Amino acid sequence: MKNEHPPTIIMVNPRHDGYTVIRKKAVTTAASALGLIVLAVIVGRDYAGSIAFRRYGEARSRVQSVQSGLPELERYLLKAVHTWPRRLFFEELANLYFGASLAEIQSGTEDKRKLLLDKARDVLLEEVRRYPAAADGYSNLGRVYMIYNYPYLPYVAKGREYLKKALILQPADEYLNTNILAVMLSQWEILEPSEREYVWSRLRNILDHNEAFIPKILNLWKKNNASIDDLKKILSADAELWPRLQKFF
């Protein structure tokens, strides 16, 4: 007759002269029970975080402005992040602080704007710590450092380093290439020689693999009311690159 019992593990019991038989079935049952408990905790926390995030979305749709609704919006997002730290929750919380800081530039105070940028920075630093392979956290950190202490902008170089880190992680991303290169071209006069060479290198790579990015960079440049003649002057300085770029102007 076939033995229906699972294989057993024989362990010496130092308190007795014989052996104590411990069946694998008991061990497996305990492990399965523990696994179910852990899974239930994970699912419960994920659900609670999602509920808080949904309430944030509902509140966002009814508030008149980010500034007026900030306390309520922040409360829901903080609960979502602390309950279950999804990357989406970090991104939205950082965007909330960043958007509120931009509003403070127009009609608020410098101290409050700085506080909001500090909060956005701290959220994003935690995001990249938890999700070091995700490019968005680095690009958003770069964006935060770009406007620190506006209009003096003492941290733009640090911001560019985070932007370049994002492109290392996602070198073919259209949004990142378009926006980051447009930003660096707009700061051409303050770029170090190595950073200018970085821009040339990225543009060569784009022309080699997907030159459709170039018109999008030009359109973004135009949307910021920058002079196309200034951009042509920058790009024509590279004798090797300019002949390949002329057709876009």
Short mmCIF file of all heavy atoms in Angstrom, two decimals, residues 10 27 39 42 48 55 58 61-62 97-98 105 109 116-117 127 129-130 134-135 157 173 182 207 219 229 231:
data_model
loop_
_atom_site.label_atom_id
_atom_site.label_comp_id
_atom_site.label_asym_id
_atom_site.label_seq_id
_atom_site.Cartn_x
_atom_site.Cartn_y
_atom_site.Cartn_z
N ILE A 10 14.48 13.31 10.70
CA ILE A 10 14.82 12.70 11.99
C ILE A 10 15.82 13.60 12.69
O ILE A 10 16.87 13.91 12.16
CB ILE A 10 15.43 11.31 11.81
CG1 ILE A 10 14.50 10.44 10.95
CG2 ILE A 10 15.69 10.65 13.15
CD1 ILE A 10 13.16 10.23 11.57
N VAL A 27 5.86 21.39 9.65
CA VAL A 27 6.69 22.56 9.32
C VAL A 27 6.08 23.33 8.18
O VAL A 27 5.99 24.57 8.18
CB VAL A 27 8.12 22.11 8.97
CG1 VAL A 27 8.96 23.29 8.53
CG2 VAL A 27 8.75 21.41 10.16
N LEU A 39 0.96 37.97 3.86
CA LEU A 39 0.23 38.40 2.67
C LEU A 39 -0.98 39.24 3.05
O LEU A 39 -1.27 40.26 2.41
CB LEU A 39 -0.22 37.18 1.87
CG LEU A 39 -1.01 37.46 0.58
CD1 LEU A 39 -0.18 38.29 -0.38
CD2 LEU A 39 -1.45 36.16 -0.07
N ILE A 42 0.18 42.73 3.95
CA ILE A 42 0.57 43.49 2.77
C ILE A 42 -0.66 43.98 2.00
O ILE A 42 -0.76 45.15 1.63
CB ILE A 42 1.46 42.62 1.85
CG1 ILE A 42 2.82 42.38 2.51
CG2 ILE A 42 1.65 43.27 0.49
CD1 ILE A 42 3.70 41.40 1.77
N ALA A 48 -5.40 50.09 2.19
CA ALA A 48 -5.57 51.33 2.97
C ALA A 48 -4.86 52.50 2.29
O ALA A 48 -5.39 53.62 2.25
CB ALA A 48 -5.02 51.13 4.38
N ARG A 55 -9.02 59.20 -1.94
CA ARG A 55 -9.60 60.37 -1.28
C ARG A 55 -8.84 61.64 -1.62
O ARG A 55 -9.42 62.72 -1.73
CB ARG A 55 -9.64 60.14 0.23
CG ARG A 55 -10.68 59.09 0.63
CD ARG A 55 -10.65 58.76 2.10
NE ARG A 55 -11.70 57.81 2.45
CZ ARG A 55 -11.78 57.17 3.60
NH1 ARG A 55 -10.86 57.39 4.55
NH2 ARG A 55 -12.75 56.32 3.84
N GLU A 58 -10.16 62.73 -4.97
CA GLU A 58 -11.48 63.36 -4.83
C GLU A 58 -11.34 64.78 -4.29
O GLU A 58 -12.02 65.70 -4.76
CB GLU A 58 -12.35 62.51 -3.91
CG GLU A 58 -12.70 61.14 -4.49
CD GLU A 58 -13.33 60.21 -3.47
OE1 GLU A 58 -13.34 60.59 -2.26
OE2 GLU A 58 -13.82 59.13 -3.85
N SER A 61 -10.00 67.29 -6.86
CA SER A 61 -10.97 67.73 -7.87
C SER A 61 -11.91 68.82 -7.36
O SER A 61 -12.53 69.51 -8.17
CB SER A 61 -11.79 66.53 -8.35
OG SER A 61 -12.60 66.02 -7.31
N ARG A 62 -11.99 68.97 -6.04
CA ARG A 62 -12.94 69.96 -5.52
C ARG A 62 -12.28 71.20 -4.91
O ARG A 62 -12.97 72.20 -4.71
CB ARG A 62 -13.87 69.32 -4.49
CG ARG A 62 -13.22 68.92 -3.20
CD ARG A 62 -14.25 68.51 -2.14
NE ARG A 62 -13.62 68.15 -0.88
CZ ARG A 62 -13.24 66.93 -0.55
NH1 ARG A 62 -13.45 65.93 -1.40
NH2 ARG A 62 -12.66 66.70 0.61
N TYR A 97 3.90 69.33 -3.35
CA TYR A 97 4.75 70.34 -2.72
C TYR A 97 5.39 71.25 -3.77
O TYR A 97 5.49 72.47 -3.58
CB TYR A 97 5.85 69.66 -1.90
CG TYR A 97 5.37 68.97 -0.65
CD1 TYR A 97 5.90 67.73 -0.25
CD2 TYR A 97 4.39 69.53 0.17
CE1 TYR A 97 5.48 67.09 0.90
CE2 TYR A 97 3.96 68.89 1.32
CZ TYR A 97 4.50 67.68 1.69
OH TYR A 97 4.09 67.04 2.84
N PHE A 98 5.83 70.66 -4.87
CA PHE A 98 6.49 71.45 -5.91
C PHE A 98 5.50 72.45 -6.53
O PHE A 98 5.83 73.62 -6.72
CB PHE A 98 7.05 70.53 -6.98
CG PHE A 98 7.86 71.24 -8.02
CD1 PHE A 98 9.18 71.59 -7.77
CD2 PHE A 98 7.31 71.57 -9.25
CE1 PHE A 98 9.94 72.25 -8.73
CE2 PHE A 98 8.06 72.23 -10.22
CZ PHE A 98 9.38 72.58 -9.96
N ILE A 105 5.83 81.44 -5.49
CA ILE A 105 6.67 82.39 -6.23
C ILE A 105 5.83 83.57 -6.71
O ILE A 105 6.27 84.72 -6.69
CB ILE A 105 7.34 81.69 -7.44
CG1 ILE A 105 8.38 80.68 -6.94
CG2 ILE A 105 8.00 82.71 -8.37
CD1 ILE A 105 9.05 79.90 -8.05
N THR A 109 5.24 83.78 0.04
CA THR A 109 6.42 84.27 0.73
C THR A 109 7.61 83.36 0.43
O THR A 109 7.46 82.17 0.15
CB THR A 109 6.20 84.30 2.25
OG1 THR A 109 6.03 82.95 2.72
CG2 THR A 109 4.97 85.12 2.60
N LEU A 116 8.34 74.44 1.33
CA LEU A 116 7.69 73.49 0.43
C LEU A 116 8.71 72.76 -0.44
O LEU A 116 8.58 71.54 -0.68
CB LEU A 116 6.67 74.22 -0.44
CG LEU A 116 5.41 74.71 0.30
CD1 LEU A 116 4.64 75.71 -0.55
CD2 LEU A 116 4.52 73.52 0.67
N LEU A 117 9.72 73.46 -0.91
CA LEU A 117 10.77 72.81 -1.70
C LEU A 117 11.57 71.84 -0.85
O LEU A 117 11.98 70.77 -1.33
CB LEU A 117 11.69 73.86 -2.33
CG LEU A 117 11.10 74.64 -3.51
CD1 LEU A 117 12.05 75.74 -3.95
CD2 LEU A 117 10.80 73.70 -4.68
N GLU A 127 12.25 58.63 -1.97
CA GLU A 127 11.83 57.83 -3.13
C GLU A 127 13.03 57.18 -3.82
O GLU A 127 12.99 55.98 -4.12
CB GLU A 127 11.07 58.70 -4.12
CG GLU A 127 10.63 57.92 -5.35
CD GLU A 127 10.07 58.80 -6.44
OE1 GLU A 127 9.74 59.96 -6.17
OE2 GLU A 127 9.97 58.31 -7.58
N ARG A 129 15.85 56.55 -2.58
CA ARG A 129 16.45 55.56 -1.68
C ARG A 129 15.72 54.23 -1.80
O ARG A 129 16.35 53.16 -1.82
CB ARG A 129 16.40 56.06 -0.23
CG ARG A 129 17.14 55.15 0.75
CD ARG A 129 16.91 55.58 2.19
NE ARG A 129 15.56 55.29 2.64
CZ ARG A 129 15.16 54.10 3.08
NH1 ARG A 129 15.99 53.07 3.10
NH2 ARG A 129 13.90 53.93 3.49
N ARG A 130 14.40 54.30 -1.88
CA ARG A 130 13.61 53.07 -1.97
C ARG A 130 13.57 52.50 -3.39
O ARG A 130 13.47 51.28 -3.58
CB ARG A 130 12.17 53.35 -1.52
CG ARG A 130 12.02 53.60 -0.02
CD ARG A 130 10.58 53.97 0.32
NE ARG A 130 10.38 54.16 1.73
CZ ARG A 130 10.00 53.21 2.59
NH1 ARG A 130 9.80 51.97 2.14
NH2 ARG A 130 9.83 53.47 3.86
N ALA A 134 14.58 53.86 -10.58
CA ALA A 134 13.51 54.61 -11.25
C ALA A 134 14.01 56.02 -11.58
O ALA A 134 14.48 56.74 -10.71
CB ALA A 134 12.28 54.68 -10.37
N ALA A 135 13.88 56.40 -12.83
CA ALA A 135 14.44 57.68 -13.29
C ALA A 135 13.65 58.90 -12.82
O ALA A 135 14.22 59.97 -12.62
CB ALA A 135 14.51 57.68 -14.82
N ALA A 157 23.49 73.63 -10.80
CA ALA A 157 24.48 72.62 -11.18
C ALA A 157 24.15 71.27 -10.54
O ALA A 157 24.25 70.21 -11.17
CB ALA A 157 25.88 73.07 -10.80
N ASP A 173 14.37 57.63 -23.22
CA ASP A 173 13.06 58.20 -22.89
C ASP A 173 12.86 59.55 -23.58
O ASP A 173 13.68 60.46 -23.44
CB ASP A 173 12.95 58.37 -21.36
CG ASP A 173 11.56 58.83 -20.95
OD1 ASP A 173 11.34 60.05 -20.91
OD2 ASP A 173 10.72 57.96 -20.69
N ALA A 182 16.59 70.53 -23.35
CA ALA A 182 16.10 71.90 -23.48
C ALA A 182 16.53 72.74 -22.29
O ALA A 182 16.93 73.91 -22.44
CB ALA A 182 14.58 71.90 -23.62
N LEU A 207 20.54 61.94 -32.96
CA LEU A 207 20.55 61.97 -34.42
C LEU A 207 20.85 60.59 -35.00
O LEU A 207 20.35 60.22 -36.06
CB LEU A 207 21.58 62.98 -34.91
CG LEU A 207 21.19 64.45 -34.76
CD1 LEU A 207 22.38 65.36 -35.01
CD2 LEU A 207 20.04 64.80 -35.70
N ASN A 219 10.49 72.78 -30.30
CA ASN A 219 9.17 73.25 -29.92
C ASN A 219 9.14 73.67 -28.45
O ASN A 219 8.50 74.68 -28.09
CB ASN A 219 8.13 72.15 -30.16
CG ASN A 219 7.88 71.92 -31.63
OD1 ASN A 219 8.09 72.81 -32.46
ND2 ASN A 219 7.43 70.72 -31.98
N ASP A 229 17.24 82.10 -32.90
CA ASP A 229 18.58 82.53 -33.31
C ASP A 229 19.61 82.21 -32.25
O ASP A 229 20.75 81.83 -32.57
CB ASP A 229 18.59 84.03 -33.62
CG ASP A 229 17.83 84.36 -34.89
OD1 ASP A 229 17.70 83.46 -35.76
OD2 ASP A 229 17.35 85.50 -35.02
N LEU A 231 19.45 79.71 -30.16
CA LEU A 231 19.66 78.27 -30.21
C LEU A 231 20.53 77.88 -31.40
O LEU A 231 21.42 77.03 -31.27
CB LEU A 231 18.31 77.55 -30.29
CG LEU A 231 18.37 76.02 -30.28
CD1 LEU A 231 19.06 75.50 -29.03
CD2 LEU A 231 16.96 75.44 -30.39
#
